[in-house]
Amino acid sequence: MIDSAGDGPFAFPRDLARLGIDRRDIVNDDASVFSDVLPGLARAAMRTLNGLVAKTLLANASSFFGTGHLNYFDGAATNLQASSLATAIKMLRQMKDAEGNLLDLQPSVLLVPPELEQTALALLHSSEVARVATGDQLPTGNTFKDIAQLAVEPRLSDSGYTGYSAVAWYLFSDAMNAAVVVGFLDGMQSPTLETFGLDHDINTLSYGFRVYHDFGVALADFRAAIKSKGAA
């Protein structure tokens, strides 16, 4: 469940899960509480964080990705391919600050939905590029090999998320440039597990568990990332 954990620049939603089990289940552990259930609650909290990052990215608040910010391009030839990736890299390298100084940004992460994973793998990890013409004396090496890491996010093309797309893709510079910022309450980057023992309620022979995670996500510096619509 999600509830509020205060206000501020990130609004810090809280992912909260509660579990109560009988003393006999603890002794027998028939429900695999310690090996399966509790770790599963922690993983669910992390999935909630991933979902919030995707939701924030797709919401594109204040036209974060837009032609006015010089970090967005569309058109029939913007589907993920060598020429469009070259365009994104060029746009990223040409980014300037408010005073007109080049920021020297380097491509770091290519973010794609699952539908583009194979295309992205071919672009980033192929050793050579096959040529149609022969005898043209042009190099066959892959100029994009290992130029960025690949990240695949299924939520980008999930119809449950507003703004989803199976063809749009993103090129991010290093995380330190803060295109997207994730904040954690009190710096706690992992979910917190609290246990309530038999002495918690004298009338009940049971244990209680509570897992919670406080985090917030915001779009920060538009100069640090490029988005391609991947279509006209």
Side-chain angles (χ1 to χ4, degrees), residues 70-92:
L70 304 179
N71 66 351
Y72 174 84
F73 63 115
D74 58 15
T78 61
N79 58 299
L80 184 59
Q81 57 179 311
S83 60
S84 58
L85 181 56
T87 297
I89 294 172
K90 177 183 176 182
M91 292 172 66
L92 188 66

Side-chain angles (χ1 to χ4, degrees), residues 111-127:
L111 176 64
V112 302
E115 291 83 354
L116 298 180
E117 181 174 4
Q118 296 305 312
T119 301
L121 284 169
L123 284 170
L124 297 180
H125 299 305
S126 296
S127 297

